[in-house]
Amino acid sequence: MGVKVTQSSLKCITSHNKTHTFHLFLLQFQPLYQTSPQLFVSRMVMKVAVIGAGISGLTSIKACLDEGLEPTCFESSHDIGGLWRLKEKPEPGRTNIYQSVVINSSKEIMAFSDFPPPAELPNNMHHSEVLQYMRLYAQAFKLLQHIQLQTAVVSVRQTLDYASTGQWEVETESKDGQRETRVFDAVIVCTGHFTHPHMPLKDFPGIESFEGRYFHSWHYRNSEGLQGKRVVVVGIGNSGGDIAVEISRVAEKVYLSSRSGAWVVSRVGQGGIPADLIGTSRMNLFMERLLPSWSNMMLEKKLNKAFDHKLYGLKPKHGFFAQMPLVNDDLPNRIISGRVQMKPNVKEFCGSSVVFVDGSVIDKVDVVVFATGYNYSFPFLPAALQAKCGYRLRLYKHVFPPALTKPTLAVVGFIRGFGAVNPLAEMQARWATRVFKGLATLPSEETMIKELEKDTVIMHQRFACTELNPIQVDYIPYLDSLAEEVGVRPNIPWLLLTDPRLALQLLTGPCTPYQYRLTGPGKWAGAREAILTQWERVLQPFRTRVVPEPESRPLSRRGIIVMVSGAALLCCFCYNKHLQGSLLSLQSFFRSLQ
Ligand SMILES: Cc1cc2nc3c(=O)[nH]c(=O)nc-3n(C[C@H](O)[C@H](O)[C@H](O)COP(=O)(O)OP(=O)(O)OC[C@H]3O[C@@H](n4cnc5c(N)ncnc54)[C@H](O)[C@@H]3O)c2cc1C
C-alpha cells in the first residue's frame, strides 16, 4: 500500500502536541505551499519506519515526533529496552547481557538531552535501572503507542518509484509468522551491534578436541556452576573484564588471556565522583588537542600511579586515547589477590590444557569463555547499503549511505566514542529527521564519499580500529559536528558574554547532552537549569546516611601549649623574613646612592 500524503493528514499532524517545529516549517515554505500544495506534499517525508526499540530506536521515535513526522517502530522482541532488557535466556539475533551489568558511563553522561535522569538513581546504574530510565522516557514522550512489539523487520527495499518518491517497502514478520509489507517515506535502522557473537575458533588450534566446556560471553548470565572450576577468559574488552572478575569470586582460579592488553579505568574518579564526568569535558578536549602526547602521557602516568599496568601484565601497546579503555573497578584487586592471573594470547588447546604464546601451560582447565566481541550485520538491508569503507560501514557521518539518490534511510546508534551512546544516537536521529524533512541538506554523493574516506583514514590513524571495533569517533567533536548540521551547537563565546556562569559549566564541566537543547530546533526551556543542577543529581544518590559533624571539644592544656608555641614560632619566622627583606632593601638603597 503506497503512502499518499493528503491535506487532511497534514491537519492531523498540525494537531500533534509538538507542532511548533512543524509550524515553523510551514511558515518557512509558506509561499511554496500556497502556490503548489501538491508539490509541497509530495516532497515531504511523512511516515517513518524505525527498526528496533532500544535506546537508539526510542530516541529516533521521539526525534520523528518532534519534527512532526509519523513514526512506526518495529521491535522484534516482546518489550522495549534492547540490550538493557535482561533476557531469561539468550535470544538468538539479539543482544544479551549478564545479570550483574552496571553502566560504564555515568547517568548524567548517558542522559537523553531533554530528560535528565531522576536524581535518586545511582550514577552508574544497574541494567534494570537503565531500563527503568528508558521506560520513564518512553512514557514521558508517549513513545509506546508508536511501537509494534513482536514484529521483526525481514526486509527493506526501495519501491519501484523510489527515484521520484524516495520511499521504502518494509516487510515485517509477526510472532505468529504473518508477513506484511508496508510503504514508508523513510527508514531509521536502530538494531544495535552486539548481536552476533564473534567466535574465532580457527585461531585456536585444538579447540575441537578441548575436554572442557567453552562458550561465548554472549551466553554468560552469572557465575552459577563455575564454583571451584579453573576458567580461562579470552579477551579483555569490558565484558571479558567483568566476567573474569565475577567468576573469580567463586572459581578456583581465573586466567585472563589478552593479546593486546588494556588501560584500566575506574568508575570511581577523584573524590569519589564518576570518573567520566571529569574526563568528558571541553577543557580536557582542548588540552588533548593542544598537547596530545603530553595529555596521553599524563593520563597514563596517573593510571599507572593507581597501579602499574606493566607490573600487572595489562599494559597495552596502544596509547590511552587509541581505544576504549577497560572500565573496571575490581580487576586490580582480583589480580593482587591472585584470583585472576593475566596471561598472553592462547596458542593452542591440548586435551584439557591451554598453551599460551609465551610457552606457559595451564592444565585441567574446566571452562573457556570467549569474550571475543561481536560481528555486526543488517541482514534485512539491501547488500549495496552494506558496503564497507575500511572496517566501518560506508555511511556519511556514520548515518547516511551516500549512494542513495534520496536521503531517506539512516542508521542510528552504530557508533562508539569516549562518552555514552544516548547523546550520540539522539543527535544522529535529530539530524536524520531534519534531513528527511529537507530542513538540512547533504552534500553531493562525491563530496560525501570523499569525506567519509578521509574520515576513515583519520579514524584508523587515531584509533586501534579492527573488524570487531570498526568505529570510534572523537566524542565531543562528533557531537558538535552533527549539532552544527542541526543548528543546535552551543555558542560558548556568546554565552561567556551573556551568561558566564553557564558558559563556564559548558567549558569546564562535563559535556552532558543538555547543552544541545539550549538553542535552535528542539530547544528545551529546561536545558539551562538541567546543566546548572547536574552536580546536584550526581550527589543526591550518595546522601543515604547523614554524616555527623565532628564534635567541637574544649582544648586540653597540652593542646593550648602546642598552639601557642606554634603561633610564636610562626611569628618569629615571619619577623625574620621581614627583617631580612628590610635589610636587603636597605642594602640596595645604599648601593643605589653610591
Ligand atoms: C555489556 C555491555 C555494556 C555496555 N555499557 C554501556 C554503557 O555503559 N554506556 C553506553 O553508552 N553504552 C554501553 N553499551 C553499548 C550498548 O550497545 C548501548 O548502550 C545501547 O544498548 C545501544 O542501543 P541500541 O538501541 O542501538 O541497540 P540495542 O540495545 O541492541 O537495541 C536494538 C533493538 O533492535 C531490535 N531488533 C534487532 N533486529 C531487529 C529487526 N530485524 N526487526 C525489529 N527489531 C529488531 C532488538 O530486539 C533490540 O531491541 C554496552 C554494551 C554492552 C554489550
Side-chain angles (χ1 to χ4, degrees):
M1 188 185 72
V3 176
K4 277 281 159 276
V5 181
T6 59
Q7 282 182 316
S8 66
S9 60
L10 268 176
K11 266 191 209 140
C12 164
I13 287 173
T14 46
S15 70
H16 191 273
N17 58 358
K18 292 277 177 190
T19 48
H20 59 285
T21 37
F22 192 69
H23 281 308
L24 282 177
F25 178 49
L26 282 182
L27 279 176
Q28 216 170 335
F29 287 86
Q30 208 171 23
L32 172 65
Y33 181 64
Q34 276 164 356
T35 52
S36 177
Q38 231 20 64
L39 170 67
F40 172 79
V41 162
S42 65
R43 282 184 49 169
M44 260 198 68
V45 169
M46 297 293 294
K47 293 197 182 247
V48 183
V50 175
I51 312 176
I55 282 172
S56 306
L58 292 181
T59 200
S60 296
I61 301 172
K62 176 163 182 298
C64 287
L65 294 173
D66 285 353
E67 288 294 346
L69 305 173
E70 285 180 21
T72 304
C73 174
F74 300 108
E75 167 52 54
S76 59
S77 74
H78 70 276
D79 200 354
I80 66 165
L83 178 119
W84 298 104
R85 181 179 62 79
L86 184 75
K87 286 101 194 157
E88 292 289 308
K89 275 196 244 134
E91 296 169 7
R94 294 212 183 89
T95 48
N96 190 38
I97 44 172
Y98 28 96
Q99 286 170 351
S100 60
V101 171
V102 298
I103 50 171
N104 298 330
S105 21
S106 65
K107 66 173 181 180
E108 289 297 317
I109 293 284
M110 204 178 171
F112 292 108
S113 63
D114 50 2
F115 196 70
E120 51 289 349
L121 279 181
N123 284 287
N124 287 85
M125 298 183 271
H126 183 245
H127 61 76
S128 57
E129 288 156 329
V130 181
L131 185 60
Q132 185 190 334
Y133 174 55
M134 290 169 76
R135 290 199 197 287
L136 289 174
Y137 179 73
Q139 275 160 19
F141 296 106
K142 302 189 171 55
L143 308 182
L144 295 176
Q145 64 212 63
H146 303 278
I147 302 173
Q148 292 190 11
L149 296 173
Q150 299 191 316
T151 312
V153 169
V154 289
S155 118
V156 174
R157 305 178 289 263
Q158 293 176 346
T159 54
L160 289 175
D161 57 359
Y162 170 84
S164 58
T165 62
Q167 290 178 327
W168 298 87
E169 279 178 2
V170 175
E171 190 179 356
T172 57
E173 187 175 286
S174 63
K175 189 182 150 209
D176 51 15
Q178 292 274 347
R179 290 217 171 189
E180 194 183 342
T181 301
R182 274 173 272 183
V183 172
F184 288 89
D185 299 288
V187 175
I188 309 184
V189 178
C190 307
T191 46
H193 52 109
F194 293 100
T195 35
H196 302 282
H198 173 71
M199 280 276 263
L201 293 185
K202 63 174 175 21
D203 296 344
F204 299 103
I207 186 74
E208 61 291 343
S209 51
F210 175 59
E211 288 167 10
R213 189 157 70 91
Y214 67 87
F215 55 88
H216 191 274
S217 57
W218 181 83
H219 290 275
Y220 180 79
R221 318 286 293 158
N222 54 39
S223 61
E224 228 176 272
L226 296 171
Q227 286 84 349
K229 306 279 187 221
R230 287 160 76 83
V231 182
V232 171
V233 177
V234 180
I236 196 172
N238 279 310
S239 301
D242 279 353
I243 292 171
V245 162
E246 185 163 283
I247 296 177
S248 75
R249 298 189 197 285
V250 299
E252 181 195 311
K253 188 82 132 190
V254 172
Y255 302 90
L256 178 54
S257 156
S258 168
R259 195 167 36 187
S260 56
W263 290 106
V264 181
V265 297
S266 172
R267 289 178 181 85
V268 185
Q270 218 169 341
I273 63 162
D276 62 353
L277 289 178
I278 308 163
T280 321
S281 81
R282 288 180 186 277
M283 194 55 103
N284 274 13
L285 174 70
F286 176 73
M287 291 310 291
E288 280 160 37
R289 284 285 154 96
L290 191 69
L291 304 164
S293 312
W294 182 81
S295 301
N296 199 74
M297 191 188 75
M298 292 311 284
L299 225 138
E300 291 177 6
K301 207 169 155 189
K302 196 172 161 194
L303 293 176
N304 282 327
K305 221 170 165 183
F307 66 92
D308 186 342
H309 280 60
K310 195 169 169 196
L311 181 68
Y312 275 56
L314 284 160
K315 191 172 188 302
K317 274 198 204 125
H318 59 259
F320 180 83
F321 293 107
Q323 206 171 64
M324 301 290 278
L326 171 65
V327 183
N328 200 303
D329 300 75
D330 301 323
L331 186 60
N333 272 321
R334 306 311 290 164
I335 294 176
I336 204 169
S337 58
R339 311 316 304 148
V340 171
Q341 224 181 66
M342 287 306 300
K343 298 300 288 176
N345 202 20
V346 172
K347 186 175 167 230
E348 59 181 337
F349 291 87
C350 195
S352 65
S353 302
V354 180
V355 183
F356 296 89
V357 288
D358 61 356
S360 60
V361 181
I362 303 295
D363 293 321
K364 295 188 189 147
V365 173
D366 299 294
V367 176
V368 178
V369 183
F370 285 98
T372 38
Y374 293 88
N375 294 310
Y376 62 86
S377 110
F378 300 94
F380 48 84
L381 283 184
L385 295 186
Q386 303 195 45
K388 286 188 182 177
C389 181
Y391 301 115
R392 66 184 274 198
L393 272 188
R394 216 172 170 74
L395 296 172
Y396 177 62
K397 290 189 187 281
H398 304 284
V399 177
F400 283 103
L404 288 178
T405 49
K406 301 267 176 193
T408 51
L409 184 138
V411 175
V412 163
F414 190 26
I415 189 101
R416 293 184 92 184
F418 283 84
V421 79
N422 303 37
L424 291 166
E426 187 182 37
M427 191 59 79
Q428 291 180 324
R430 287 173 77 186
W431 180 44
T433 47
R434 306 253 326 147
V435 171
F436 293 164
K437 277 185 72 175
L439 296 178
T441 47
L442 298 183
S444 68
E445 180 186 349
E446 196 191 355
T447 313
M448 284 195 275
I449 290 175
K450 257 193 205 151
E451 246 186 73
L452 91 82
E453 282 172 354
K454 195 172 114 200
D455 205 37
T456 309
V457 171
I458 297 172
M459 190 170 82
H460 282 228
Q461 280 165 355
R462 287 192 27 72
F463 304 114
C465 292
T466 61
E467 198 80 47
L468 302 175
N469 181 32
I471 308 165
Q472 194 162 330
V473 292
D474 271 325
Y475 188 66
I476 302 176
Y478 179 76
L479 281 174
D480 277 351
S481 85
L482 292 197
E484 190 82 49
E485 303 282 347
V486 181
V488 296
R489 186 174 173 168
N491 185 344
I492 299 180
W494 175 249
L495 285 173
L496 272 171
L497 297 173
T498 55
D499 193 346
R501 188 175 161 218
L502 181 66
L504 280 178
Q505 262 304 311
L506 300 196
L507 273 177
T508 60
C511 181
T512 44
Y514 321 116
Q515 54 184 269
Y516 298 109
R517 291 278 177 189
L518 287 168
T519 179
K523 178 179 167 175
W524 172 48
R528 182 179 185 276
E529 189 62 14
I531 295 167
L532 296 179
T533 53
Q534 60 198 6
W535 286 107
E536 262 308 300
R537 290 189 298 280
V538 171
L539 299 184
Q540 183 60 31
F542 293 111
R543 295 191 181 123
T544 49
R545 173 178 170 258
V546 180
V547 179
E549 291 296 324
E551 282 171 24
S552 55
R553 287 192 211 114
L555 274 178
S556 64
R557 195 189 296 173
R558 206 164 140 201
I560 293 171
I561 294 171
V562 170
M563 264 185 64
V564 171
S565 330
L569 275 171
L570 193 68
C571 286
C572 288
F573 176 76
C574 294
Y575 178 71
N576 209 7
K577 280 262 168 214
H578 178 72
L579 203 65
Q580 264 180 19
S582 309
L583 284 175
L584 282 174
S585 342
L586 270 178
Q587 261 178 8
S588 52
F589 174 70
F590 284 122
R591 262 195 217 121
S592 68
L593 289 180
Q594 283 167 4

